[in-house]
Amino acid sequence: MGRTPAEAPSPPLPAHLEQLAGRARDYVEAASSANTRRAYASDWKHFTSWCRREGFSLMPPDPQIVGLYITALASGNAAGMATGEKKSVSTIERRLSSLSWNYAQRGQPLDRKDRHIATVMAGIRNKHAAPPRQKEAVLPEDLIAMLETLDRGTLRGLRDRAMLLIGFAGGLRRSEIVGLDVGRDQTQDGRGWIEILDKGILVTLRGKTGWREIEIGRGSSDSTCPVVALETWLKFARIAHGPVFRRVTGQGKAVGTDRLNDQEVARLVKRAALAAGVRGDLSEGERGKLFAGHSLRAGLASSAEVDERYVQKQLGHASAEMTRKYQRRRDRFRVNLTRAAGL
């Protein structure tokens, strides 16, 4: 094993191909979300630093080195990690995906089926795997309590109210919420747009499975209607073009032009849930870990008493099985097989 982690430089392209290469890089970036690219870049940086510290060559990809790396992650011995910090199985699997993607972008495919990786990963799963930690579903009564914690007299309160209601009623991911534009083709970083109609909002989204349309109907009360909340925010924020959800600046008295980061959705859900006392039977620390952006999607899936196929379509899932993973409490003990068996 060599001791030089530097990557071999690519030969320069002819001048007439430079513009085409730039366009190709744009398409590569468009193939994955900004969050995914940031995570992959961070994972690659950690791996290259680990290789440098251990004296391993970065190129070409060596399954044995990668196997040692994931072993270090699982055992808490990887440089750059806190002493004894062991990465979860899901984190290690994501790191593997990151390495595969980064190596592929450099024209050096990594063989994840090699025994040095596959066998080690199988052992890590057997020894360290735990049931997935799902975020708590925000149910309708929870959401109403959370809305009451927001100040309707401020721009920030109006914005946050619209975000919570649109996210819940649309079953949207946090990136989809902040990725909305007022109209079609208005920004380069938008992920969709809205159209306000008499009966509700038609949302057109570019999601993981392609483009899809979502219908968000008007509510039975103005105080909990996502359409009214969105119309009120757009009116008082004076937004007619570009990103729907933006930063509120100037001590809460002005609206900026920049799109909100999707992390703001997770922070909003957590902050409002804590303020409303949702799951008050738990400590504040435990409650803080339960709520995030996905709590809104899980809340819709768990509480909408309609045919499952409509929920599946709203969430944009390819299978009913994936939709059922979001239904936290809906079907628990609905069918009692113990009594059905005669006990």
Side-chain angles (χ1 to χ4, degrees), residues 38 77 193 322:
R38 280 194 293 268
N77 294 328
W193 64 90
M322 178 58 72

Side-chain angles (χ1 to χ4, degrees), residues 265-319:
V265 178
R267 296 189 188 104
L268 168 61
V269 173
K270 181 177 295 189
R271 183 170 64 249
L274 290 175
V278 181
R279 289 302 307 272
D281 55 310
L282 302 175
S283 69
E284 185 169 334
E286 291 174 317
R287 290 164 59 212
K289 296 177 182 178
L290 285 178
F291 298 100
H294 256 54
S295 297
L296 298 176
R297 278 168 66 80
L300 178 72
S302 300
S303 55
E305 294 292 340
V306 295
D307 191 299
E308 190 176 72
R309 60 193 168 124
Y310 294 114
V311 180
Q312 179 182 341
K313 181 178 181 241
Q314 190 84 338
L315 298 186
H317 288 154
S319 69

Side-chain angles (χ1 to χ4, degrees), residues 57-213:
S57 295
L58 191 60
M59 295 291 181
D62 186 337
Q64 185 174 2
I65 292 176
V66 174
L68 292 174
Y69 175 65
I70 62 177
T71 299
L73 293 176
S75 59
N77 294 328
M81 293 166 52
T83 303
E85 178 190 0
K86 299 177 181 179
K87 295 299 182 183
S88 67
V89 173
S90 61
T91 297
I92 295 172
E93 288 177 334
R94 194 205 71 203
R95 292 280 177 95
L96 269 179
S97 296
S98 298
L99 298 187
S100 296
W101 186 88
N102 276 285
Y103 272 124
Q105 298 310 304
R106 291 159 175 79
Q108 300 278 347
L110 173 66
D111 182 9
R112 289 181 59 172
K113 294 182 180 179
D114 184 281
R115 63 184 180 86
H116 290 101
I117 298 176
T119 306
V120 170
M121 195 65 228
I124 290 173
R125 290 191 191 98
N126 288 338
K127 189 169 183 178
H128 299 294
R133 291 184 178 180
Q134 296 180 320
K135 294 301 180 182
E136 184 83 0
V138 169
L139 300 180
E141 58 269 25
D142 302 326
L143 182 61
I144 292 172
M146 291 163 63
L147 294 174
E148 290 301 317
T149 69
L150 305 176
D151 188 350
R152 300 190 190 190
T154 65
L155 286 170
R156 183 174 286 109
L158 294 177
R159 180 200 66 190
D160 291 350
R161 188 179 191 83
M163 287 172 63
L164 288 177
L165 285 167
I166 291 294
F168 180 91
L172 304 181
R173 299 176 178 88
R174 65 190 192 191
S175 59
E176 294 171 341
I177 296 172
V178 299
L180 291 175
D181 287 340
V182 177
R184 180 173 184 160
D185 299 330
Q186 291 185 344
T187 65
Q188 291 187 347
D189 63 340
R191 298 192 61 178
W193 64 90
I194 61 170
E195 185 179 357
I196 301 178
L197 307 172
D198 289 341
K199 293 185 178 181
I201 303 170
L202 183 63
V203 180
T204 304
L205 279 176
R206 184 179 70 246
K208 292 183 177 180
T209 56
W211 288 97
R212 76 182 196 273
E213 287 186 345

